[in-house]
Amino acid sequence: MKIWVLTIGLILIGVVAGASSAWLEFAGTTNQFEPHNQSVATALPPTDRIGPKVEVVDGIDFDFGVGQRQSGMNHTFVFRNEGDEPLRLTQGATTCKCTVSNLKSGDVAPGETAEVHLDWKLVTTGDQFRQTAEIHTNDPRRPTVTLTVHGVVTDLVRLDPHDVVLSDVSANEGATATVYAYGFGIKNLEIVSSEFENLETAPFFSLVWTPLTGDELGKNASVGLRGTLSVKPGLPLGPLNQTIHLHTNVADADKLDLEITGAVVSDISVVGPRTFSDSRNVLQFGTIPRAEGAKTTLRILVKGPHRQDVRLHVQEVDPADVLQASLGEAQQINDGAVFMYPLEVEIAPHARLVDRLGSEQTKLGRIVIGTTHPTAATVPIYVKFAVE
């Protein structure tokens, strides 16, 4: 009996000792079968954090209204930081001068504002203007803010029209046209001087200015002038190209250009093959191989009451050592209603190398036919060519 009791006692002592040893070994270990949210203590960011937040007071698009051409203009946008961390602004791409001001340490504090200035000069030929500037921010919601300023263009001084087209100006009678110069936001406007770009035809033009009355100004102009353009008889036959440089008393609009284009027609005209443009009096040979040369025939037609008495001659050839022109005898057409003179134009083989392919007529080859006609003294013919 004692042995059995002793045996049970020893067994109980072993169980208690084993349990104690196991508890000591795993006492600091979390039970893997417990729910995770009972033991995780991760710190989450507060849900009310905003960070930097950019806001443009009154919007990013501004309608400037009316701006005067050639004048300096500016506008200021106001940026506000609606967030709870500093807002950083930096300048990006821009079509005008852009500056950012009112910044402390380069950042905009929460609740504070900064100004973005746009400055530009209104240089444009259109009737509207548009300026843009990009501002980069550290607001993750709006990393780039594009500012826009737009409006309508007016002028300190404006020509209307700024180009005059005179179709089929009679060399016998000349022509007239009317142009206007309007001033905006100024009290006095004067054309103090005029300069003609084409000095050869300048003596055939005159431009006289007179003030406009109140009813003639229109609703926007503050002052104005009427210009009467007169083209005198006797202009050379062919295309008409003249530019008048006008100088005013307005400092910011002291130079205006009036362009005059058209064609002068008379009892004398020139016709030719498909390579000849009768509207511009231009003969196109193009590029000519030096060993081959080139040749064609134009026809000068004379009609009107002086047709029987008119005499023609080759007055000028340029370049004379390359380009050749010779007039033939007159032939009567339509029972004498028209007298036709053949004009042979030639670039001889083995001529020197020369380039007269320029886009301006003064750089083209030229043949001038002199006449005894009372109002059409000369007939210029231009030749576009190059010898290679």
Side-chain angles (χ1 to χ4, degrees):
M1 185 65 179
K2 293 181 179 179
I3 296 174
W4 181 79
V5 173
L6 179 62
T7 301
I8 292 193
L10 291 174
I11 292 173
L12 290 174
I13 292 171
V15 170
V16 173
S20 299
S21 176
W23 181 83
L24 291 174
E25 180 178 355
F26 296 103
T29 304
T30 303
N31 188 345
Q32 61 178 329
F33 299 106
E34 292 179 354
H36 295 295
N37 59 2
Q38 293 182 6
S39 58
V40 177
T42 305
L44 295 176
T47 57
D48 58 349
R49 176 180 175 273
I50 299 176
K53 183 179 180 181
V54 63
E55 185 70 26
V56 182
V57 180
D58 297 328
I60 61 175
D61 185 275
F62 180 75
D63 186 349
F64 198 92
V66 177
Q68 295 188 10
R69 202 183 312 271
Q70 302 297 328
S71 64
M73 306 182 70
N74 62 81
H75 180 71
T76 298
F77 290 90
V78 178
F79 282 60
R80 176 184 291 119
N81 184 3
E82 298 286 355
D84 52 14
E85 294 182 9
L87 173 68
R88 179 167 290 108
L89 305 178
T90 57
Q91 180 181 322
T94 178
T95 62
C96 58
K97 181 181 178 182
C98 176
T99 56
V100 183
S101 63
N102 293 5
L103 292 188
K104 298 178 180 179
S105 304
D107 291 336
V108 183
E112 298 296 324
T113 62
E115 295 182 347
V116 177
H117 300 283
L118 304 188
D119 294 275
W120 67 95
K121 187 172 183 180
L122 194 51
V123 180
T124 177
T125 58
D127 296 330
Q128 298 183 343
F129 70 90
R130 179 184 178 89
Q131 300 289 343
T132 61
E134 291 183 352
I135 302 298
H136 300 311
T137 82
N138 62 337
D139 181 350
R141 294 164 291 263
R142 298 180 71 180
T144 299
V145 177
T146 301
L147 306 173
T148 303
V149 177
H150 58 88
V152 178
V153 180
T154 186
D155 304 82
L156 286 172
V157 181
R158 184 182 70 218
L159 284 177
D160 185 19
H162 64 272
D163 56 346
V164 176
V165 179
L166 302 174
S167 301
D168 296 337
V169 177
S170 173
N172 303 331
E173 302 174 1
T176 60
T178 301
V179 296
Y180 297 90
Y182 296 106
F184 300 87
I186 58 177
K187 296 181 179 180
N188 183 34
L189 174 61
E190 298 177 10
I191 306 298
V192 296
S193 64
S194 303
E195 298 175 0
F196 292 84
E197 189 169 290
N198 188 339
L199 299 179
E200 183 178 351
T201 61
F204 294 94
F205 293 89
S206 67
L207 185 56
V208 179
W209 297 94
T210 56
L212 293 175
T213 62
D215 295 338
E216 298 172 313
L217 288 177
K219 61 181 181 179
N220 294 322
S222 59
V223 66
L225 301 171
R226 177 189 292 105
T228 301
L229 175 67
S230 299
V231 183
K232 302 175 184 178
L235 272 171
L237 176 68
L240 175 61
N241 293 284
Q242 180 63 271
T243 300
I244 306 177
H245 303 296
L246 305 172
H247 299 275
T248 79
N249 63 327
V250 181
D252 292 330
D254 60 339
K255 183 179 179 181
L256 306 172
D257 289 337
L258 176 63
E259 298 183 0
I260 305 169
T261 59
V264 180
V265 298
S266 73
D267 294 337
I268 303 177
S269 59
V270 183
V271 297
R274 295 178 59 185
T275 55
F276 179 73
S277 170
D278 55 4
S279 63
R280 299 187 299 133
N281 275 21
V282 175
L283 173 62
Q284 296 198 42
F285 275 134
T287 301
I288 304 166
R290 186 182 185 193
E292 298 179 10
K295 181 189 296 186
T296 194
T297 300
L298 305 178
R299 291 169 176 81
I300 301 177
L301 307 179
V302 182
K303 60 182 180 180
H306 305 285
R307 63 186 182 279
Q308 295 182 351
D309 302 324
V310 169
R311 299 293 180 267
L312 308 181
H313 66 280
V314 178
Q315 177 175 308
E316 177 187 340
V317 177
D318 177 40
D321 61 334
V322 176
L323 195 58
Q324 301 175 14
S326 58
L327 275 168
E329 294 294 328
Q331 303 174 18
Q332 296 187 33
I333 302 176
N334 295 336
D335 297 327
V338 179
F339 281 66
M340 186 272 290
Y341 294 79
L343 175 66
E344 188 175 273
V345 181
E346 181 181 7
I347 298 172
H350 307 293
R352 69 177 175 87
L353 303 183
V354 62
D355 184 355
R356 289 301 182 97
L357 295 173
S359 60
E360 300 178 7
Q361 290 182 345
T362 53
K363 296 180 182 179
L364 299 175
R366 190 168 81 151
I367 301 170
V368 178
I369 304 299
T371 86
T372 59
H373 194 282
T375 57
T378 60
V379 180
I381 300 171
Y382 300 95
V383 185
K384 187 174 183 178
F385 74 99
V387 177
E388 68 173 11

